[in-house]
Amino acid sequence: MKSLLSIFILFILVSCDFAQEAKSISIQYKIEFMKGEDYKCAIGIDNPFNIICDSNYYAIPFYKDEELSYMMDWYSLRPKDTVAEVVLKFYDSQTDSLIYIDSVLFKVNKLPNPYLLLLPCDSMCSSLKNIKNIETIWPQLYYYGLDIRCRVMQCSVSIIRENEIIVTEDYEEFKIDENFKKLVGKLRVGDRLKFSKLNGIRMPDGTIRSIENKEIFIEE
């Protein structure tokens, strides 16, 4: 019994010594984002960053008790909330022993609403020939140079001729299928192709948003 008590007391003393040692060590470091010092993290996407510190140490970041993945010289943070706490564990480069723990709070932005992009013609989609050759429709946005594409769920596609809707196709899950190809096949020069009820745009964070209607005047 005394032996067990001695071991327990020794364990407490060792733990206390480590805690005091960790507090006494001050490691200078900085967080460096791949997209630059002005970059702000966003919910639902990968936010690559690295930890710069003295070469005598190295750091491993944790988010929600899980070690962050490390690829191509960058750690990837994919936050779920508007504030993300990342725990940094610093180790001795020679012994790999844990010597210091710190935490950083990141303010996280919500992504802005995307805009509807028609590919491959993009801004040239007013041409009747190009509009009939659309291959993909994406809700797209750019965030600090990142090209982020979302998914269209619910929407309606209409042809307006002389201010009257002549045909409408409603989608619960939009895709360029035979119905869509038949619809755009009815277009004439002077018509307007309208994408409306864009209420089912699935964002990278899993939320569903609505975006503005898109209307294209068809030219020759």
Side-chain angles (χ1 to χ4, degrees):
M1 183 67 180
K2 288 183 178 180
S3 177
L4 289 173
L5 183 60
S6 299
I7 292 172
F8 181 68
I9 292 172
L10 178 61
F11 173 77
I12 293 176
L13 290 173
V14 170
S15 298
C16 290
D17 288 344
F18 170 78
Q20 290 177 1
E21 181 183 355
K23 288 180 181 179
S24 64
I25 294 174
S26 178
I27 297 178
Q28 299 296 319
Y29 67 90
K30 71 174 182 176
I31 304 296
E32 181 180 81
F33 284 99
M34 186 177 73
K35 290 297 180 179
E37 60 182 12
D38 295 329
Y39 180 79
K40 299 293 186 297
C41 293
I43 295 176
I45 64 171
D46 291 320
N47 300 273
F49 75 98
N50 217 330
I51 306 158
I52 311 300
C53 64
D54 189 288
S55 59
N56 291 318
Y57 313 104
Y58 65 91
I60 298 178
F62 292 79
Y63 174 60
K64 294 188 179 294
D65 298 324
E66 293 187 6
E67 182 178 334
L68 294 179
S69 60
Y70 186 73
M71 294 182 63
M72 301 179 67
D73 299 326
W74 299 97
Y75 287 102
S76 181
L77 173 63
R78 197 178 183 93
K80 301 175 182 179
D81 308 298
T82 53
V83 176
E85 181 179 13
V86 176
V87 175
L88 307 176
K89 295 185 179 182
F90 291 85
Y91 297 82
D92 187 289
S93 297
Q94 299 298 321
T95 64
D96 292 327
S97 57
L98 177 64
I99 59 171
Y100 184 66
I101 299 175
D102 200 3
S103 63
V104 181
L105 290 177
F106 293 104
K107 184 178 178 182
V108 183
N109 290 342
K110 291 182 179 180
L111 289 171
N113 278 349
Y115 59 91
L116 206 62
L117 181 69
L118 283 63
L119 296 174
C121 51
D122 193 8
S123 60
M124 300 298 292
C125 276
S126 58
S127 160
L128 181 60
K129 178 181 178 181
N130 288 338
I131 207 78
K132 290 184 177 182
N133 291 321
I134 293 173
E135 298 174 1
T136 308
I137 295 178
W138 291 104
Q140 185 179 39
L141 63 95
Y142 289 98
Y143 187 78
Y144 286 90
L146 296 172
D147 182 359
I148 301 170
R149 295 183 179 182
C150 310
R151 183 179 174 187
V152 180
M153 302 295 285
Q154 297 176 351
C155 78
S156 293
V157 185
S158 305
I159 293 177
I160 301 172
R161 182 173 299 156
E162 297 179 355
N163 295 322
E164 290 187 10
I165 297 175
I166 64 166
V167 61
T168 297
E169 189 75 35
D170 295 319
Y171 292 88
E172 287 299 319
E173 184 171 350
F174 180 80
K175 58 184 176 181
I176 295 182
D177 55 11
E178 288 303 315
N179 289 335
F180 180 80
K181 291 178 180 178
K182 287 179 181 178
L183 185 145
V184 297
K186 298 176 183 178
L187 283 167
R188 301 177 185 173
V189 174
D191 289 346
R192 284 175 287 154
L193 181 64
K194 183 176 182 178
F195 295 85
S196 60
K197 299 179 183 177
L198 294 161
N199 303 320
I201 307 302
R202 185 176 294 279
M203 300 294 289
D205 60 3
T207 59
I208 304 297
R209 294 194 196 174
S210 300
I211 62 174
E212 293 182 359
N213 297 342
K214 185 181 183 74
E215 195 169 300
I216 302 167
F217 182 78
I218 306 301
E219 301 173 347
E220 192 163 345

